Amino acid sequence: MKLEDRMAVKLLALASVQLGKAVNETLCTEPDPRLIKGLLADVKEMLSDFEQQYFRE
């Protein structure tokens, strides 16, 4: 696997971690919608970056 592909996969892993945080927050007794929205925005950005790097779009 090329270095660029490995870096892209790291972005995918980071997106997964952020998504996990968002899921955990939504399961709280009093979730913070602003925090969830921010985490999801981060996930979307990381997924977009991953697609661009991994698939060279």
Side-chain angles (χ1 to χ4, degrees):
M1 184 181 282
K2 294 185 280 184
L3 176 63
E4 294 85 9
D5 292 342
R6 288 195 306 262
M7 295 301 288
V9 171
K10 285 183 181 182
L11 279 171
L12 190 58
L14 288 172
S16 175
V17 170
Q18 289 294 87
L19 187 56
K21 289 178 183 178
V23 169
N24 287 337
E25 181 63 25
T26 59
L27 295 174
C28 288
T29 54
E30 294 184 30
D32 183 352
R34 293 173 296 152
L35 176 59
I36 296 166
K37 193 171 187 173
L39 290 167
L40 291 177
D42 289 346
V43 170
K44 289 176 186 178
E45 184 177 339
M46 287 182 217
L47 288 176
S48 176
D49 291 347
F50 165 76
E51 283 185 312
Q52 289 174 358
Q53 287 183 21
Y54 193 78
F55 299 111
R56 314 266 190 302
E57 293 178 353

